[in-house]
Amino acid sequence: MTIHSILKMGEARLLCVARPVQDFDTPELRQLVQDMQDTMRHASGAGLAAPQIGVDLQVVVFGSDSPNPRYPDRPLVPLTVLINPVVTPLGAETALDWEGCLSVPGLRGKVPRWLRIRYTGFDLQGRIIAREAEGFHARVVQHECDHLAGILYPMRMQDFTQFGFTDVLFPGMAQDQDD
Ligand code: NI
């Protein structure tokens, strides 16, 4: 089990467009995915993108098989490894809700996202994944896939009166995590 340190906003590598994975089901890719899942769980993240641990590849992991302590009231998103993803909005409806990011520790902001999306990509073995999602699930996917395009959630924000430190915005929330 390898827990990687997570790059923080200001690091240039978080602003790059990641390279697509060419070879699936290799020992290197399996190790990367395992490390990303260990790191995501250790940080109680809703998701993690490979560039956040300094790896320039289009790989994201998200979801969990049990409730996330950082988002205890959110619906479960299935534990997923998504490679070379493509996100397409379904309809024009957007939703505004709070997001945090392990690369932007201690802060939360309200971010507009597509309410419903279709996302496609590949799993670790190179099998096609094609799903439709809405709400929190759709938000998590959009957030993680943005990392592969070098976009952090504050770059999507429109109203900076809805941006602040988690302990100030949500004083009752457990503060045992970095984020
Ligand atoms: Ni993030």
Side-chain angles (χ1 to χ4, degrees), residues 34-46:
Q34 186 63 56
D35 289 356
M36 287 175 64
Q37 288 178 330
D38 292 344
T39 302
M40 173 177 76
R41 277 194 207 97
H42 181 257
S44 299

Side-chain angles (χ1 to χ4, degrees), residues 57-150:
L57 285 173
Q58 292 182 21
V59 179
V60 300
V61 298
F62 56 83
S64 113
D65 296 325
S66 57
N68 185 323
R70 284 177 65 234
Y71 301 93
D73 54 342
R74 302 304 183 114
L76 274 184
V77 176
L79 185 63
T80 302
V81 177
L82 186 64
I83 298 171
N84 299 351
V86 175
V87 174
T88 312
L90 292 175
E93 211 174 336
T94 59
L96 190 64
D97 208 347
W98 294 103
E99 289 185 22
C101 178
L102 298 171
S103 294
V104 190
L107 293 162
R108 296 282 167 103
K110 272 198 169 175
V111 185
R113 298 286 185 187
W114 300 113
L115 180 63
R116 294 184 193 83
I117 60 167
R118 174 180 167 81
Y119 65 92
T120 60
F122 301 91
D123 71 8
L124 187 50
Q125 284 79 33
R127 295 174 298 215
I128 290 172
I129 294 174
R131 291 181 187 157
E132 293 183 2
E134 64 175 66
F136 183 62
H137 183 173
R139 177 171 296 276
V140 168
V141 173
Q142 289 170 84
H143 176 116
E144 296 312 327
C145 292
D146 261 1
H147 278 294
L148 305 180

